Amino acid sequence: AHIVQETVDHCCGIDPDLRTTLNARDIVDSLQLYRCPTHLELISVLRHLTTVLPRSEVKLLVVDSIAMPFRVKFESQPEKFKLLAVVAQLLMQIAGLGVCVLLTNHVTTKVVQGHLNDTSSYLA
């Protein structure tokens, strides 16, 4: 929630007219979070999303981290590659629905105050 509020404040600093329509609470309330610690859970959620997204107003899917569910020991490399291909195919199918798909590799953030000047913040 802190990052969302910082982003809203930053955007409203650029365009003060956004203050009337851009609200951090509304943004946070509109988020849906799925935790997928395993590759099987990730595939299951992605399959589910391919069925519900055509009837939704979802514009963005963020997968953080794409690598984490695949850090388990697999029977063989071909098995791992096959499952990665399934994930890639599902993500391309979701993107084909007009949803922006953003993949990260385990992003963390730290908001640092006052390093550039007394009123600025940036993510490190």
Side-chain angles (χ1 to χ4, degrees):
H2 180 71
I3 291 174
V4 173
Q5 185 61 56
E6 289 289 326
T7 303
V8 167
D9 291 345
H10 175 76
C11 292
C12 291
I14 294 169
D15 183 357
D17 292 339
L18 289 174
R19 189 69 63 197
T20 60
T21 58
L22 198 56
N23 179 297
R25 176 59 26 210
D26 291 343
I27 293 171
V28 171
D29 288 346
S30 70
L31 297 176
Q32 292 185 22
L33 176 66
Y34 298 91
R35 294 195 187 275
C36 305
T38 71
H39 59 283
L40 296 176
E41 289 171 294
L42 177 60
I43 291 170
S44 176
V45 167
L46 293 175
R47 282 189 175 137
H48 171 71
L49 290 176
T50 62
T51 64
V52 298
L53 288 178
R55 302 181 305 275
S56 77
E57 295 182 24
V58 172
K59 304 283 187 244
L60 174 67
L61 170 65
V62 179
V63 180
D64 175 32
S65 132
I66 191 65
M68 187 56 142
F70 291 92
R71 289 195 174 135
V72 296
K73 185 81 170 156
F74 284 89
E75 294 285 325
S76 65
Q77 284 296 93
E79 177 193 8
K80 182 177 184 176
F81 293 144
K82 180 180 176 187
L83 291 168
L84 281 166
V86 169
V87 169
Q89 182 179 24
L90 289 167
L91 291 170
M92 288 188 303
Q93 186 177 349
I94 290 168
L97 298 170
V99 177
C100 178
V101 176
L102 174 65
L103 306 178
T104 69
N105 192 20
H106 209 72
V107 172
T108 60
T109 60
K110 177 180 176 184
V111 177
V112 180
Q113 292 279 12
H115 283 257
L116 299 177
N117 61 43
D118 292 337
T119 60
S120 70
S121 299
Y122 65 94
L123 297 177

